[in-house]
Amino acid sequence: MIVITAPTGQIGHQVLDALLDRGYPVRVIARDPGRLTPQARERSEIVEGTHSDPEVLDAAFKGADTVLWLVPPNPGTDDNREHYLGFTRAACDAVKAQGVKRVVGVTSLGRAYGKHAGQLSDAFAMDEMIESTGVAYRALAMPFFMENFLQQAEVIKTQGMFFLPNAADRPLATVATRDIAAAAARLLADDSWSGKDTVPVISPDSLSPNGMAEVLSEVLQRPVRFQQVDAETHKATMMQYGMSEAFAQSLVDMAAAQSDGIYDAEQALASPAPTSFRQWCEEVLKPAVLA
């Protein structure tokens, strides 16, 4: 039995669909089962509740061999580290109590960076907590999600610009969530692995935000420019949208670490994932911008 947390999220729903299509037995933890697809409701076991609840986790992990672990963001949190570890602490207890054999966690690239990196550091603390249980663990290590650009589709369409707090000329590693989901599904379906390891999932590109703007201009056949937002403005804007100061600061610190090269060492050694930034823009972002 394979358990999937966050099965309606942008990664979890793709993993769930892939496993169901291949006929694997799947159990999901869903706060709102009505958000699951009809296929998921019909073909998977459903444990209703949140995966921060110890009782829900015990019920979901009972008899399970492998778990996909994702911690959902909480933009209102006053302590992002404790948000990550609060979820994960309960999961680790359930892993040990129910005898789960393997865990696949969605985390960040750059664990060897060694300096504070905002939300990325919180993800690394999550990894360490899971590893401390002794369960076999694969940390799916992600850089910047290409899907983040979908949040700016309207701005790209109307203003011909996109905005990030990252350095304009510094390469920013990216990944498409479909490649993350494919890697997760492969690991969840494979019962032969053991021990602990990190599995980087990174696109074949090495583009700076300025380079991404050039690709977007070519794909959309219109000029697109990148504008770097200073840290204070970025934080203030996020707080205006309802994020807590702690959450906003964790994103600012994450962007600073990205501009400082947190992903560089692992990107240089990793085998590239299938989806390039250009391909993703053609297939995903362009239809959203032109809609």
Side-chain angles (χ1 to χ4, degrees):
M1 177 62 70
I2 299 169
V3 175
I4 296 179
T5 60
T8 60
Q10 61 179 343
I11 296 171
H13 87 272
Q14 295 181 80
V15 177
L16 177 57
D17 288 346
L19 292 173
L20 290 176
D21 287 345
R22 293 160 65 182
Y24 287 97
V26 178
R27 182 182 297 149
V28 302
I29 301 174
R31 185 192 298 269
D32 179 5
R35 294 180 58 202
L36 295 166
T37 64
Q39 174 187 232
R41 290 196 298 270
E42 293 169 7
R43 297 176 56 191
S44 60
E45 294 184 20
I46 301 172
V47 177
E48 187 170 351
T50 172
H51 58 289
S52 64
D53 185 329
E55 292 184 2
V56 170
L57 288 167
D58 276 332
F61 289 6
K62 186 175 182 179
D65 298 303
T66 309
V67 170
L68 175 66
W69 183 251
L70 301 96
V71 175
N74 178 7
T77 184
D78 291 326
D79 187 337
N80 199 64
R81 173 67 58 90
E82 183 53 33
H83 169 67
Y84 264 84
L85 297 187
F87 264 80
T88 305
R89 192 175 294 115
C92 289
D93 290 343
V95 162
K96 291 184 287 187
Q98 301 301 331
V100 172
K101 298 174 182 176
R102 291 171 296 277
V103 175
V104 176
V106 176
T107 184
S108 174
L109 200 65
R111 189 170 172 183
Y113 180 62
K115 293 182 278 186
H116 180 65
Q119 286 201 0
L120 308 188
S121 295
D122 302 332
F124 304 148
M126 174 196 76
D127 294 330
E128 292 174 4
M129 181 175 283
I130 295 172
E131 290 172 349
S132 73
T133 67
V135 72
Y137 185 57
R138 290 294 180 272
L140 282 179
M142 308 299 121
F144 186 90
F145 287 8
M146 295 180 190
E147 278 73 8
N148 291 335
F149 282 93
L150 291 173
Q151 300 170 12
Q152 301 197 50
E154 185 64 23
V155 175
I156 293 170
K157 178 179 181 178
T158 58
Q159 299 183 33
M161 299 181 70
F162 67 94
F163 303 84
L164 293 171
N166 303 75
D169 58 356
R170 188 74 173 76
L172 176 62
T174 59
V175 66
T177 59
R178 64 191 185 193
D179 290 343
I180 304 170
R186 285 194 298 272
L187 286 166
L188 293 166
D190 180 2
D191 61 5
S192 67
W193 54 271
S194 60
K196 304 173 183 65
D197 202 2
T198 298
V199 181
V201 187
I202 315 169
S203 80
D205 308 291
S206 183
L207 295 170
S208 67
N210 281 342
M212 294 174 190
E214 292 179 9
V215 171
L216 282 169
S217 298
E218 293 167 3
V219 168
L220 298 174
Q221 297 183 325
R222 65 178 73 172
V224 177
R225 295 188 298 113
F226 167 67
Q227 178 65 54
Q228 184 177 4
V229 181
D230 69 82
E232 289 187 7
T233 300
H234 184 56
K235 180 178 177 179
T237 300
M238 290 188 290
M239 292 178 66
Q240 287 173 2
Y241 280 99
M243 296 181 186
S244 69
E245 182 177 3
F247 190 85
Q249 186 62 52
S250 73
L251 294 179
V252 167
D253 293 343
M254 176 180 69
Q258 290 167 337
S259 294
D260 191 43
I262 187 171
Y263 301 144
D264 292 359
E266 286 170 281
Q267 182 177 22
L269 299 174
S271 298
T275 306
S276 70
F277 183 70
R278 180 181 296 274
Q279 178 185 356
W280 181 85
C281 289
E282 288 278 7
E283 297 175 358
V284 181
L285 185 60
K286 183 176 180 179
V289 171
L290 299 182

